[in-house]
Amino acid sequence: MPALVLLGAQWGDEGKGKATDLLGGSVDYVVRYQGGNNAGHTVVVGDQKYALHLLPSGILSPGCTPVIGNGVVVDPSVLLSELSGLNERGVDTSKLLISGNAHIITPYNVTVDKVTERFLGKRKIGTTGRGIGPTYADKINRVGIRVQDLYDESILTQKVEAALDGKNQLLTKLYNRRAIAVDQVVEELLGYAEKLAPYVTDTVLVLNQALEQDKVVLFEGGQGTLLDIDHGTYPFVTSSNPTAGGACTGSGVGPTKISRVIGILKAYTTRVGSGPFPTELFDEDGEALRRIGGERGVTTGRDRRCGWFDAVIARYATRVNGLTDFFLTKLDVLTGWEQIPVCVAYEIDGRRVEELPYSQTDFHHAKPIYESLPGWSEDITKAKSFSDLPKNAQAYVKALEEMSGAPISAIGVGPGRDETIEVNSFL
Ligand code: GDP
Ligand code: IMO
Ligand code: MG
């Protein structure tokens, strides 16, 4: 049986948590492969609402094994509090597996994230301040701390020393902060070792053996395509690879095992943090999308920037991820507009451009070229099949599909599990 990837096709917050939870009941494993607790995935089950940051959304499906892969960065204190929060609400988390090769977000990584942003001033990225970038930087610089290091005090101490050597110079001499003591960090990290021990394993072996036994593995992306360190709007990106290739490197499952790549696509566009956003709205339409769509970050509580749907970005997501399907979310939010503009191309320095420009300068200058599609006013939240949708809503979905380059196989008409129209089956 196949492995599937589910990822964000825009700038994050597309509704990956809901989509993952929906499939969670039919798959054996749900795997996070990158990012960390910068993610905020909301899942609504009946009258219960869950905000997951580090745990895969499959944790809410009893038959499913949630896995934190080697590509994820783990803040142990956040993980433990997320686990106990779910336990208090009666969710069984005992099946969780964590890769021993996943890197740990240490307290000094969080400090460095915050001081670096402050130092950047108006050039700041607008990070979530969770230590994500500095932790991946340590990984690439080969001074990272991995989950397995918690089980060898001597190695852990040596590694923390190596990591703090340079950082303390920076903190004290450049950023005017106090030096961080090695002993204190080691003591804090050792304090997590026993609590995490039951979950830590060789997840690469587990996942590959599961696939050999015809189990279904679903990879749940954090963030989104345009936040990808390689393929996103660099430098206004996160420090990992949310795109489909990241599912392989972040889990140790080869690309030949992946049979389907599903892009989660919001029926309009949002972005949190700094960086270019051609269809961003600064008027009352933007305000209405934010209000009706509840566009406020689950992780940092920041208002999300809102704009119309951008087909150039959707096409780009199809290309760089090799998308086989889209899951269109939040169509219900667009109910009530008489006309809905959709960006079909950009104008850059007087030229019409159909594809995402590779040049950062061009993208910063891109102005949206809109086509207006007729809206609908009927409530669509109870629609169960495509034919239940008003004709104009059907036409909107079909137009987006045509422009975006992959079939729309599911449509979200509300936050709940059952507020979904299945067009083609994913499994
Ligand atoms: P994620 O980070 O991609 O998992 O997305 P978030 O959870 O950060 O943001 C998506 C928000 O939209 C959440 O509050 C979801 O409950 C909600 N949501 C997801 N799908 C739909 C939908 O089809 N309609 C509506 N109205 N809300 C949705
Ligand atoms: P989910 O999984 C939206 C953004 C931040 C910032 C940039 C870098 O819920 O879709 P970081 O802390 O990662 O170094 O910040 O990336 N960002 C997200 N935006 N949704 C997310 O996650 C995000 N995770 C990071 O706002 O602009
Ligand atoms: Mg989110």
Side-chain angles (χ1 to χ4, degrees):
M1 262 308 263
L4 297 85
V5 183
L6 191 158
L7 53 81
Q10 295 151 319
W11 276 289
D13 303 323
E14 298 90 349
K16 299 175 293 292
K18 175 195 157 162
T20 304
D21 171 65
L22 196 67
L23 295 178
S26 327
V27 306
D28 300 295
Y29 292 81
V30 172
V31 187
R32 278 284 306 270
Y33 56 88
Q34 47 68 235
N37 57 306
N38 48 347
H41 296 182
T42 317
V43 179
V44 180
V45 186
D47 61 356
Q48 293 290 308
K49 188 169 173 176
Y50 300 90
L52 301 168
H53 297 286
L54 196 48
L55 291 168
S57 303
I59 199 128
L60 301 173
S61 300
C64 179
T65 302
V67 179
I68 293 181
N70 56 276
V72 175
V73 288
V74 177
D75 185 324
S77 66
V78 171
L79 178 62
L80 291 168
S81 75
E82 209 169 318
L83 284 169
S84 62
L86 287 177
N87 295 153
E88 279 161 24
R89 295 174 71 179
V91 177
D92 175 16
T93 56
S94 61
K95 283 182 155 182
L96 176 69
L97 302 177
I98 304 172
S99 167
N101 285 349
H103 280 246
I104 287 190
I105 302 178
T106 60
Y108 52 80
N109 291 136
V110 178
T111 304
V112 170
D113 193 359
K114 289 181 178 152
V115 291
T116 316
E117 279 281 276
R118 213 167 299 146
F119 211 71
L120 279 170
K122 66 176 173 31
R123 290 183 301 258
K124 71 175 183 196
I125 310 296
T127 72
T128 58
R130 301 300 192 259
I132 306 296
T135 305
Y136 279 113
D138 278 2
K139 175 177 176 174
I140 299 299
N141 280 332
R142 293 161 293 189
V143 290
I145 312 294
R146 293 186 295 173
V147 170
Q148 59 176 290
D149 298 329
L150 300 182
Y151 303 98
D152 185 327
E153 185 173 347
S154 149
I155 292 259
L156 179 67
T157 309
Q158 287 173 44
K159 289 190 174 180
V160 172
E161 267 167 10
L164 275 179
D165 235 12
K167 275 186 199 69
N168 274 335
Q169 298 284 335
L170 274 178
L171 284 172
T172 53
K173 296 188 178 144
L174 183 63
Y175 295 127
N176 214 12
R177 306 273 297 212
R178 249 179 289 152
I180 295 171
V182 172
D183 296 358
Q184 228 172 312
V185 174
V186 170
E187 193 188 320
E188 178 178 337
L189 293 180
L190 286 175
Y192 301 125
E194 208 176 308
K195 293 180 189 130
L196 293 182
Y199 308 113
V200 180
T201 190
D202 180 352
T203 53
V204 176
L205 186 63
V206 170
L207 291 172
N208 281 287
Q209 284 178 339
L211 285 164
E212 276 162 26
Q213 290 160 16
D214 280 351
K215 304 279 190 225
V216 186
V217 175
L218 176 67
F219 293 100
E220 175 187 12
Q223 293 75 53
T225 301
L226 275 298
L227 286 173
D228 185 281
I229 186 85
D230 285 279
H231 301 291
T233 48
Y234 190 90
F236 302 104
V237 292
T238 192
S239 298
S240 66
N241 288 115
T243 48
C248 296
T249 48
S251 71
V253 169
T256 50
K257 301 284 185 344
I258 292 169
S259 58
R260 214 138 172 195
V261 185
I262 305 159
I264 313 302
L265 189 66
K266 211 179 271 193
Y268 50 97
T269 315
T270 62
R271 173 164 206 171
V272 194
S274 318
F277 179 178
T279 63
E280 182 169 14
L281 293 167
F282 300 94
D283 58 7
E284 55 206 45
D285 281 331
E287 200 42 59
L289 286 173
R290 187 155 37 247
R291 189 183 65 251
I292 303 166
E295 298 297 352
R296 180 174 280 257
V298 205
T299 300
T300 56
R302 290 179 289 180
D303 273 355
R304 294 173 182 155
R305 301 157 64 191
C306 294
W308 298 122
F309 184 81
D310 185 336
V312 182
I313 279 173
R315 277 199 289 281
Y316 179 73
T318 304
R319 188 177 315 126
V320 297
N321 294 299
L323 294 182
T324 57
D325 305 80
F326 279 114
F327 188 137
L328 186 71
T329 60
K330 303 191 102 163
L331 186 64
D332 54 301
V333 174
L334 294 179
T335 300
W337 266 276
E338 253 173 54
Q339 293 287 320
I340 308 171
V342 169
C343 168
V344 293
Y346 301 140
E347 189 199 307
I348 303 173
D349 299 331
R351 288 170 298 125
R352 183 183 169 102
V353 175
E354 304 279 339
E355 303 299 343
L356 198 88
Y358 76 87
S359 144
Q360 182 184 356
T361 311
D362 281 352
F363 194 56
H364 279 262
H365 293 159
K367 294 198 180 60
I369 298 175
Y370 286 117
E371 254 175 37
S372 215
L373 301 175
W376 59 93
S377 55
E378 300 89 332
D379 176 18
I380 61 168
T381 56
K382 304 282 177 302
K384 292 286 170 245
S385 69
F386 189 70
S387 58
D388 291 343
L389 291 174
K391 286 282 168 286
N392 285 351
Q394 291 186 14
Y396 185 81
V397 173
K398 283 287 157 205
L400 262 48
E401 183 174 81
E402 184 89 358
M403 292 170 192
S404 305
I408 292 176
S409 295
I411 303 162
V413 290
R417 259 184 197 168
D418 53 348
E419 289 170 309
T420 308
I421 297 172
E422 196 177 315
V423 182
N424 306 306
S425 168
F426 287 116
L427 293 161

